Amino acid sequence: MSIRPVRKAVFPVAGLGTRFLPATKAMPKEMLTVVDKPLIQYAVEEALAAGIEQIIFVTGRGKGALEDHFDVSYELEATMRARGKSMAAIDGIRQKPGSPVYVRQQEPLGLGHAVWCAREIVGDEPFAVLLPDELMVGSPNFMAQMVSAYQRVGGNVIGALEVSDSETDKYGIISPGAQDGALVEVTALVEKPARGTAPSNLMIPGRYILQPEVMGVLEGQGAGAGGEIQLTDAMARLIGRQPFHGCTFSGQRFDCGDKAGYVQANIALALARDDIGPAVRAFARRLLD
Ligand code: G1P
């Protein structure tokens, strides 16, 4: 079996962000910052550090700030340069010409539909998908750990993390088979199973390496859980036809699609910083006392 490299990553960023209103009324949820960096930049940096070359955004109306963020900011850069200010904070955000590529998801029909909207850009090669509201902190990062695993087993490799019983109805859930180190065989998948019916506590944390055949499965696929076209349902149909593994992560996960998770991410990353960590720690101690 020849294992083809993962060169492209799809970032579904068309979601309306209703869970974060009013913050996201006029601003993309992916631009919410953890300390001083937008969520989307964490996800893009994770992909690039894992060896991804082509960034693909599946975007939508009202998401222009995302395009501007990865572009040249002429006035800002010229003014900073003229004033002799350090550009370190914005260095490297702009990608090479031709990347990112933007495609539009015209209607909010679900994650599976969003990924399918990138089919012409993905073409006939394996690709990664990263959901930016899942913030992963680790070294090597999650996608890099998944790429290493993929290079051994090929096929489809998706993130697999444990959650508590009370949370399994919020996520895609894996039926696990044989385990081998960080990898577990995936024998079935179900999106947001009703409380008490989950086949395990292993959830899919928004990181995927998929074979291009998933696009063909998504073509014409009907709505699933929540009335949306689900990526989980399409992946489930590849099981048995292609190798399919879950990959655990040694690192930290923050569900920034959830307000408590988002605040936790800000606290944890602020405490870990050399510049503001001491001040935040001292304040947090006083507050908790
Ligand atoms: C999506 C996926 C789900 C996954 C989750 C991770 O759900 O459909 O399988 O577990 O992201 O955050 P959403 O959060 O968009 O409802």
Side-chain angles (χ1 to χ4, degrees), residues 19 111 131 134 171-172 191-192 203-206 208 230 232:
R19 273 186 277 180
L111 177 60
L131 308 189
E134 293 275 358
Y171 301 109
E191 181 68 18
K192 300 190 177 74
M203 60 81 83
I204 313 170
Y208 311 80
Q230 296 291 353
T232 303

Side-chain angles (χ1 to χ4, degrees), residues 1-269:
M1 176 179 62
S2 83
I3 296 174
R4 293 185 291 169
V6 189
R7 301 188 310 118
K8 301 180 179 181
V10 175
F11 297 77
V13 292
L16 294 175
T18 51
R19 273 186 277 180
F20 263 91
L21 286 169
T24 49
K25 183 161 178 260
M27 182 184 82
K29 64 172 175 168
E30 298 79 11
M31 288 302 291
L32 287 168
T33 55
V34 173
V35 184
D36 52 8
K37 201 191 279 189
L39 284 170
I40 187 64
Q41 195 181 331
Y42 286 98
V44 166
E45 287 176 355
E46 180 184 336
L48 294 172
I52 299 292
E53 296 164 20
Q54 176 74 73
I55 303 297
I56 304 164
F57 284 167
V58 181
T59 179
R61 291 178 293 283
K63 297 280 187 162
L66 290 166
E67 301 179 20
D68 291 341
H69 188 70
F70 290 95
D71 200 347
V72 177
S73 178
Y74 183 76
E75 296 83 346
L76 180 70
E77 289 171 33
T79 308
M80 288 172 76
R81 209 171 285 117
R83 294 184 184 167
K85 296 220 161 149
S86 162
M87 308 282 254
I90 56 170
D91 261 355
I93 301 177
R94 177 177 18 141
Q95 301 299 298
K96 64 179 184 195
S99 181
V101 171
Y102 299 90
V103 295
R104 285 229 181 183
Q105 184 187 23
Q106 294 153 333
E107 293 173 87
L109 298 179
L111 177 60
H113 179 260
V115 169
W116 178 76
C117 286
R119 68 200 176 282
E120 300 289 346
I121 315 294
V122 166
D124 186 29
E125 58 179 287
F127 63 102
V129 179
L130 293 94
L131 308 189
D133 53 10
E134 293 275 358
L135 173 58
M136 304 293 172
V137 182
S139 178
N141 71 46
F142 200 174
M143 186 47 70
Q145 292 182 26
M146 286 174 58
V147 167
S148 301
Y150 165 77
Q151 282 161 350
R152 283 197 287 129
V153 293
N156 304 276
V157 176
I158 60 176
L161 296 183
E162 285 212 7
V163 288
S164 64
D165 288 343
S166 62
E167 291 189 294
T168 49
D169 59 342
K170 286 179 15 189
Y171 301 109
I173 301 293
I174 296 171
S175 289
Q179 186 147 5
D180 175 13
L183 284 176
V184 62
E185 218 179 302
V186 175
T187 61
L189 292 167
V190 54
E191 181 68 18
K192 300 190 177 74
R195 285 262 170 113
T197 68
S200 80
N201 284 33
L202 269 189
M203 60 81 83
I204 313 170
R207 294 293 182 279
Y208 311 80
I209 293 173
L210 300 173
Q211 294 301 313
E213 285 74 20
V214 76
M215 295 296 192
V217 178
L218 282 166
E219 179 96 43
Q221 179 180 296
E228 299 191 338
I229 299 170
Q230 296 291 353
L231 181 60
T232 303
D233 296 343
M235 295 190 303
R237 290 171 61 190
L238 292 178
I239 298 167
R241 283 162 54 185
Q242 298 178 333
F244 215 117
H245 293 89
C247 179
T248 58
F249 175 47
S250 50
Q252 270 181 299
R253 160 186 181 249
F254 299 98
D255 182 356
C256 292
D258 171 80
K259 284 178 199 177
Y262 174 71
V263 172
Q264 287 161 13
N266 271 285
I267 295 170
L269 271 66

